[in-house]
Amino acid sequence: MTIQQRNSYRTGPDEHGHFGIYGGRFVAETLMPLILELEAAYAEAKKDPQFQAELDHTGAHKVNNVLGQILLARRMGKDRVIAETGAGMHGVATATLCAKFGLHCIVYMGVVDVERQKPNVLRMKALGAEVRPVTSGSQTLKDAMNEALRDWVTNVADTFYCIGTVAGPHPYPMMVRDFQCVIGNETREQMARAEGRLPDSLIACIGGGSNAMGLFHPFLDDLDVEIYGVEAAGHGLSTGMHAASLAGGRPGVLHGNRTYLLMDDDGQIKEAHSISAGLDYPGIGPEHAWLSDLKRVKYLSATNEEALAAFQLCSRLEGIIPALEPAHALARVIELAPQKPKDHLMVVNLSGRGDKDLTSVAEYLERRSH
């Protein structure tokens, strides 16, 4: 179906969970009944005013997404919640909501990320979650998601998988996007109030891409609004050591959906690399892949060095220490903003704070100085 027939960039996915040729559900037979049960529960919850009232405008995107999924878990009678996390923010949000509602919480996290995101690991444990370090593969986000999916297949009866990004089998990319749209909706309201008009451009970092999709989606049909997503270019796109799936990948299947992935010639998933734990993933949400093909969103990239320079500049000029994830978006803001007119309104999504990254940044700077 063409965009002219659809007449909107906001109506996806179709009933099978496809955004064009992307998305869908490629899962083990064991999980299929659970996926269909989840899809039905979410369709019902969307129409329930009480569910919407309980969810409405909780706050930051990560906790809003988790609240939506935990409310669904309770509706479905699941008292054991599993999650994957990279930078730890989704893990902390899941642990927080599980503590609030008295649910058993297990968070899978790659050993590399456990080491570089210690403050968030301590927060999860303090909230009563069990953090399970993952030692397989690259020991980062991809491998944490692999282990969470294995757990889910083994414990289908009592377990709810709370996914932290707009990836995974349908309905997760749609559902997580819907919950995270709290950012885009609030941006529309606040810009109308403060400026009396829509922003001229939006920019956000992309790993799986949930913070970006939450900001972008409410504006997709406002064609005068330029939209930019920024992938992690790691040590540079030419080095092969990066996490830029759109810039350096091709379509394939991972974690239950078809999207752009970093793969070798034999179709094996390549290791992603980024200074940022939250962007260190070899794929991207299927809706982003679709929007890239349609050219509605322009996808750029930023290297470790560029993100680090933006991290330092924002901290010094604004007194705001950003997480390394949105520092990638800030790196492109530094380049794009001077090209725009003085009255151009640009919204950059600072999707996390940088206290969790201070140790990583200090170690990186020390290694570089030697």
Side-chain angles (χ1 to χ4, degrees), residues 305 362-370:
E305 288 290 335
E363 288 172 357
Y364 188 93
L365 291 173
E366 190 175 339
R367 281 197 306 272
R368 194 174 65 180
S369 70
H370 293 311

Side-chain angles (χ1 to χ4, degrees), residues 110-112 134-140 142-144 146-147 150 271:
V111 164
V112 169
V134 176
T135 56
S136 58
S138 60
Q139 305 175 353
T140 55
K142 165 180 69 75
D143 312 289
N146 287 343
E147 289 303 318
R150 285 191 191 103
E271 303 297 355

Side-chain angles (χ1 to χ4, degrees), residues 169-188:
H170 177 66
Y172 280 105
M174 171 184 72
M175 186 171 69
V176 174
R177 173 202 74 196
D178 291 350
F179 292 147
Q180 300 225 15
C181 275
V182 64
I183 327 169
N185 292 332
E186 288 190 352
T187 298
R188 283 187 81 94

Side-chain angles (χ1 to χ4, degrees), residues 25-37:
R25 35 185 170 223
F26 298 82
V27 296
E29 221 172 282
T30 329
L31 283 181
M32 208 54 192
L34 215 61
I35 291 283
L36 294 172
E37 182 192 6

Side-chain angles (χ1 to χ4, degrees), residues 8-10 177 181 184-185 187-188 198-206 209-231 246 284 287-301 329 332-333 336 340 344-349:
S8 173
Y9 289 93
R10 302 187 67 227
R177 173 202 74 196
C181 275
N185 292 332
T187 298
R188 283 187 81 94
L198 292 179
D200 296 300
S201 62
L202 310 169
I203 186 165
C205 64
I206 308 267
S210 61
N211 88 87
M213 193 51 69
L215 176 64
F216 298 169
H217 195 259
F219 293 93
L220 288 177
D221 288 340
D222 299 294
L223 300 186
D224 290 338
V225 179
E226 300 172 323
I227 307 181
Y228 301 94
V230 184
E231 296 187 287
L246 286 173
I284 192 167
E287 191 167 5
H288 284 294
W290 179 67
L291 289 169
S292 175
D293 281 4
L294 293 175
K295 298 189 169 25
R296 175 61 188 101
V297 178
K298 186 169 186 181
Y299 292 89
L300 311 170
S301 62
R332 293 285 71 87
V333 169
L336 289 168
K340 306 296 184 187
H344 184 98
L345 296 177
M346 179 180 283
V347 173
V348 56
N349 194 20

Side-chain angles (χ1 to χ4, degrees), residues 18 29 150 155 209 258 315 321 357:
H18 292 114
E29 221 172 282
R150 285 191 191 103
N155 301 286
R258 187 170 195 263
S315 301
I321 303 174
D357 292 318

